[in-house]
């Protein structure tokens, strides 16, 4: 289950700085209007931004720590996005006030590991860089492998190269390697037994990472997806009952539970609608969910205490949800 270090509701902040990080990638810094400290940040956490155009998007935090005075997120303008990153790059200006959600962490770091191997692709470097800073500060054994299509698209390169404690900082630029992607398997195979490994990047990298770790125990593998991992469960034809009101909804083919509830005026928190952020996580009282998210572990999916109702459905019978 995802973790929310702070249960604080929305926080009003001001965009206090924008900084260039790489081609199409900017760092956005937010501070509280009253100057008070913000909720604590664990490495790997993200925040939700409630944008003035009504969109809600979540982005990984660059820095962790207790009671920070600012939050910084790295945002790449994605030509294929549904509009969030484009809007931010084109319309958000220093001084703009917005609401944000307190940090949520679906990608926690085990800082006690004997050795840690980090893999990042593209803007997936944001949570990995946050984690690497933590391991550096703690003096732990770790290495970083970072791939982008071209050198100019790589953020935090100087900062990564300045890390003194890393066993290795390996930069891979596809266009300088005859277009070849980073080969994850030999790196995984060379890592000592007991290494914890983390990956955040585009879908082909995530697939390569999971395949490379297929024979290692699952507890050593940590992933964060920033786009859908699986097709949503949209077969429909089942009933969802809300335990608090007793209301029942028949979910038609082609619609998610979240869409049906939203259409009926039942408010459920949501953001990515791709099963990657955890905002719509809902407690399951009974029934057999058809899990399609990228957040819950295999074991969490097996016991089905919760589900992400933006992408997950039912394997057949009625689902009773704690709503
Ligand atoms: Fe993000 Fe459902 S809205 S996981």
């Amino acid at each position: 289950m995802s973790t929310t270090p702070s249960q604080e509701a929305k926080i009003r902040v001001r965009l206090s700085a924008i900084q260039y990080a790489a081609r199409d990638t900017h760092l956005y810094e937010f501070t509280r209007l009253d100057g008070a400290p913000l909720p604590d940040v664990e490495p790997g956490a993200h925040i939700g931004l409630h944008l003035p155009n009504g969109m809600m998007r979540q982005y990984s935090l660059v820095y962790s720590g207790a009671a920070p005075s600012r939050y910084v997120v790295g945002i790449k303008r994605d030509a294929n996005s549904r509009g969030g990153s484009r809007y931010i790059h084109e319309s958000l200006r220093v001084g703009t006030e917005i609401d944000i959600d307190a940090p949520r962490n679906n990608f926690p770091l085990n800082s006690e590991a004997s050795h840690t191997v980090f893999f990042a692709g593209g803007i997936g470097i944001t949570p990995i860089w946050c984690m690497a800073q933590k391991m550096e500060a703690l003096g732990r054994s770790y290495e970083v492998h970072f791939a982008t299509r071209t050198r100019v698209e790589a953020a935090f390169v100087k900062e990564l190269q300045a890390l003194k404690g890393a066993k290795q900082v390996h930069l891979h630029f596809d266009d300088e390697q005859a277009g070849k992607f980073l080969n994850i398997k030999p790196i995984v195979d060379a890592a000592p037994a007991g290494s914890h490994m983390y990956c955040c990047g585009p879908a082909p990298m995530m697939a390569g990472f999971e395949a490379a770790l297929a024979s290692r125990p699952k507890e050593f593998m940590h992933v964060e997806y920033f786009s859908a991992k699986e097709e949503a469960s949209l077969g429909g034809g089942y009933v969802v009952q809300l335990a608090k009101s007793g209301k029942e909804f028949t979910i038609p083919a082609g619609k998610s539970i979240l869409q049906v509830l939203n259409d009926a005026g039942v408010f459920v928190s949501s953001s990515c609608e791709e099963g990657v952020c955890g905002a719509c996580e809902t407690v399951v009282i009974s029934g057999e969910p058809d899990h399609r998210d990228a957040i819950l572990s295999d074991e969490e999916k097996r016991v089905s205490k919760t589900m992400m109702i933006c992408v997950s459905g039912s394997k057949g019978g009625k689902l009773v949800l704690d709503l």
Side-chain angles (χ1 to χ4, degrees):
M1 196 187 297
S2 58
T3 61
T4 46
S6 166
Q7 296 304 317
E8 189 170 348
K10 283 181 192 160
I11 305 164
R12 194 75 179 160
V13 293
R14 180 179 290 117
L15 177 56
S16 46
I18 303 173
Q19 188 188 343
Y20 179 89
R23 191 170 74 195
D24 295 330
T25 299
H26 295 162
L27 304 182
Y28 292 80
E29 176 190 279
F30 297 96
T31 50
R32 215 169 191 150
L33 298 193
D34 59 8
L38 289 155
D40 299 353
V41 177
E42 295 173 356
H46 66 263
I47 53 171
L49 308 186
H50 296 263
L51 301 172
N53 67 353
M55 287 180 167
M56 204 292 224
R57 291 290 182 271
Q58 61 288 317
Y59 296 99
S60 294
L61 288 154
V62 176
Y63 307 112
S64 62
S69 60
R70 61 180 188 144
Y71 287 156
V72 178
V73 293
I75 302 177
K76 181 175 169 97
R77 183 188 165 115
D78 180 359
N80 300 316
S81 86
R82 291 172 295 149
S85 65
R86 191 173 67 232
Y87 175 83
I88 291 168
H89 273 248
E90 290 177 358
S91 304
L92 277 200
R93 296 285 174 265
V94 170
T96 304
E97 293 177 18
I98 64 166
D99 287 326
I100 61 169
D101 290 328
R104 173 187 288 268
N105 197 358
N106 302 328
F107 194 37
L109 173 68
N110 177 347
S111 57
E112 302 299 320
S114 56
H115 183 67
T116 301
V117 186
F118 294 116
F119 293 94
I123 193 61
I125 189 61
T126 309
I128 297 297
W129 164 230
C130 187
M131 290 177 170
Q133 291 172 79
K134 181 72 177 180
M135 298 308 244
E136 178 84 2
L138 292 173
R140 299 280 190 261
S141 171
Y142 71 98
E143 59 192 91
V144 181
H145 303 267
F146 176 29
T148 57
R149 278 174 299 190
T150 64
R151 191 177 286 268
V152 292
E153 291 172 276
F156 309 119
V157 166
K158 278 195 191 127
E159 292 89 338
L160 287 164
Q161 288 175 325
L163 290 169
K164 297 269 187 294
K167 295 273 177 274
Q168 188 185 171
V169 172
H170 169 204
L171 303 174
H172 175 103
F173 305 114
D174 297 348
D175 69 336
E176 296 175 21
Q177 302 294 331
K180 290 202 181 95
F181 290 162
L182 173 67
N183 191 357
I184 291 176
K185 182 84 167 71
I187 301 167
V188 166
D189 289 347
S195 298
H196 278 254
M197 307 201 198
Y198 297 74
C199 186
C200 183
M205 175 179 246
M206 302 302 283
F209 177 75
E210 293 194 354
L213 270 83
S215 62
R216 294 204 176 210
K218 284 262 189 291
E219 63 262 34
F220 296 110
M221 181 174 89
H222 310 270
V223 291
E224 176 147 275
Y225 282 77
F226 46 68
S227 58
K229 182 180 180 186
E230 291 184 67
E231 294 281 310
S233 173
L234 298 177
Y238 59 92
V239 170
V240 167
Q241 184 181 56
L242 309 188
K244 288 176 185 153
S245 63
K247 281 186 187 160
E248 291 193 349
F249 299 88
T250 299
I251 310 300
K255 287 222 166 189
S256 67
I257 299 171
L258 179 68
Q259 286 167 332
V260 171
L261 296 184
N262 280 344
D263 291 348
V266 179
F267 174 75
V268 183
S269 167
S270 65
S271 172
C272 69
E273 300 188 18
E274 294 192 65
V276 297
C277 76
C280 70
E281 187 170 18
T282 301
V283 171
V284 179
I285 292 174
S286 65
E288 209 183 343
D290 178 17
H291 293 286
R292 300 296 178 92
D293 66 275
I295 297 170
L296 298 178
S297 66
D298 290 348
E299 178 58 15
E300 287 169 332
K301 287 177 179 168
R302 194 186 63 74
V303 298
S304 285
K305 280 193 182 152
T306 66
M307 65 185 290
M308 307 302 153
I309 61 170
C310 63
V311 291
S312 300
S314 168
K315 286 196 172 150
K318 183 198 277 191
L319 286 175
V320 182
L321 303 177
D322 188 17
L323 287 173

